[in-house]
Amino acid sequence: MSKYTVQPLDLAGLKTIPIADRGGKVRLEHFARKYEKGEGLMGLLDALPRVLAADSFRAVVEALLTARANRRPVIWGMGGHVIKCGLAPVLLDLMHGGFATVFAMNGSGAIHDFEIAIAGCTSEDVEAVLPGGRFGSARETGQEMAAAISSGVRDGLGFGEAIGRHLGFIAKPEYAASSLLMGAYREGAPVTVHVAVGTDTPHTFPELDPAALGEATHRDFRLFAKLVAMLNDGGVYVNLGSAVIMPEVFLKAVSVVRNLGYELRNFTTVNFDFLQHYRPQVNVVHRPHVNAGGRGYAITGHHELMIPLLAAVLAECEA
């Protein structure tokens, strides 16, 4: 006999209902279907289940197609890992196809792209060089980026445009086609770069003018804000692999353009990342749409898989 004074709950009086009356959020028509050999990407997309991330992916494809058809801006904000994954050619192809009209990135994205353009390689082995204090000491990266920023500020350019212009003079021809900064600059597509002082290796170089750095990135923030204002009524903002900097920059831009009286409603936001973090979830997917219409989506997956897949589906939609 149990020593407890409290006895188990008696379930004899439980009220039940028929499952037909209860229904369910998932029905058979939502299930995946068998993919048939030779159906191609569009067949695969149609074969996916019509729930959760698969439906979100379809919605993102539709939003991008609609934005392009209606000539609405599509802004891609990104972290450095996206460039390190080798996705610049894919992003440039999206730009040429009308599915990317603006690029925004943090400082590491600009550094990795810059190094690809001048050396064809990037992403040093930090653990191997940090003990000796060699991390971030690549001479050309620090000195040439500093020169680009200073000359750009003198000519009234922001960070992204200044770097793109400078690469036109120093990039190696065999690497230039793989640079997002160069490719966008050549096409006149805006690129903005948003840095936090001390987070990037060129900030340690004596050649860097801190005042020019601040002016260049602040100009880019103001440009970015104006571009965000243009998302109204059908634009798309994609946050790609930035967990902190770009979600914060985006939310501040949303706030300031509304503060200044710009209408900013009924647009789409997307967060692509291999982990879903707090700031992208609230600053990109949720908060911009409160009392403003539109929709935000979060899709989890590795950049090197998800973005080529998205680009391939969009290419098939054009065919």
Side-chain angles (χ1 to χ4, degrees):
M1 179 178 292
S2 173
K3 297 172 61 175
Y4 300 155
T5 58
V6 177
Q7 296 301 306
L9 187 68
D10 184 355
L11 302 177
L14 182 72
K15 301 176 181 65
T16 63
I17 59 172
I19 194 170
D21 291 347
R22 186 211 67 183
K25 294 187 294 183
V26 179
R27 300 186 301 277
L28 188 59
E29 57 262 35
H30 296 142
F31 276 30
R33 66 165 178 81
K34 178 185 175 183
Y35 172 81
E36 299 293 342
K37 183 178 180 180
E39 285 189 284
L41 277 171
M42 298 311 295
L44 174 62
L45 190 67
D46 183 65
L48 295 175
R50 299 189 176 276
V51 295
L52 302 175
D55 256 359
S56 292
F57 188 84
R58 290 189 187 93
V60 171
V61 170
E62 185 60 34
L64 289 166
L65 289 168
T66 302
R68 189 187 69 160
N70 294 333
R71 299 185 180 277
R72 307 306 299 146
V74 180
I75 303 175
W76 291 74
M78 67 196 74
H81 193 68
V82 175
I83 302 299
K84 290 200 295 182
C85 284
L87 292 175
V90 178
L91 293 168
L92 286 170
D93 188 59
L94 287 168
M95 178 189 72
H96 291 135
F99 296 111
T101 58
V102 178
F103 298 107
M105 61 183 69
N106 63 10
S108 68
I111 292 167
H112 291 307
D113 192 81
F114 188 89
E115 291 187 338
I116 288 293
I118 66 171
C121 63
T122 189
S123 191
E124 59 190 303
D125 187 342
V126 179
E127 287 81 3
V129 297
L130 186 62
R134 291 179 54 203
F135 171 53
S137 59
R139 182 181 304 110
E140 295 89 344
T141 303
Q143 291 179 351
E144 293 291 350
M145 289 191 78
I149 292 166
S150 292
S151 63
V153 166
R154 286 194 296 269
D155 293 339
L157 307 184
F159 196 131
E161 189 175 8
I163 296 295
R165 182 182 70 169
H166 195 71
L167 285 174
F169 300 116
I170 69 168
K172 299 292 179 63
E174 61 268 36
Y175 309 138
S178 297
S179 167
L180 181 63
L181 284 159
M182 277 199 71
Y185 180 77
R186 285 172 172 172
E187 295 297 322
V191 179
T192 60
V193 180
H194 308 270
V195 303
V197 176
T199 60
D200 302 322
T201 54
H203 301 173
T204 68
F205 277 68
E207 291 87 354
L208 181 73
D209 179 352
L213 175 70
E215 184 173 343
T217 198
H218 189 261
R219 181 183 179 87
D220 270 3
F221 172 72
R222 294 187 293 115
L223 175 59
F224 178 75
K226 187 62 175 292
L227 295 163
V228 166
M230 297 167 66
L231 291 171
N232 183 56
D233 194 22
V236 179
Y237 179 75
V238 182
N239 184 71
L240 184 56
S242 177
V244 179
I245 294 293
M246 290 313 305
E248 290 293 349
V249 170
F250 178 65
L251 194 70
K252 305 314 183 292
V254 168
S255 181
V256 74
V257 299
R258 287 174 173 165
N259 181 286
L260 292 171
Y262 290 88
E263 185 80 6
L264 184 55
R265 303 175 56 83
N266 300 320
F267 59 98
T268 300
T269 58
V270 191
N271 183 56
F272 278 101
D273 211 341
F274 54 81
L275 289 173
Q276 292 297 326
H277 298 280
Y278 170 78
R279 283 177 176 81
Q281 281 285 337
V282 296
N283 290 2
V284 176
V285 177
H286 175 63
R287 285 173 173 164
H289 303 291
V290 175
N291 299 323
R295 180 76 186 272
Y297 299 94
I299 298 180
T300 305
H302 291 281
H303 311 313
E304 59 270 29
L305 296 174
M306 298 306 301
I307 303 311
L309 174 62
L310 175 64
V313 169
L314 291 169
E316 288 294 322
C317 289
E318 294 183 276

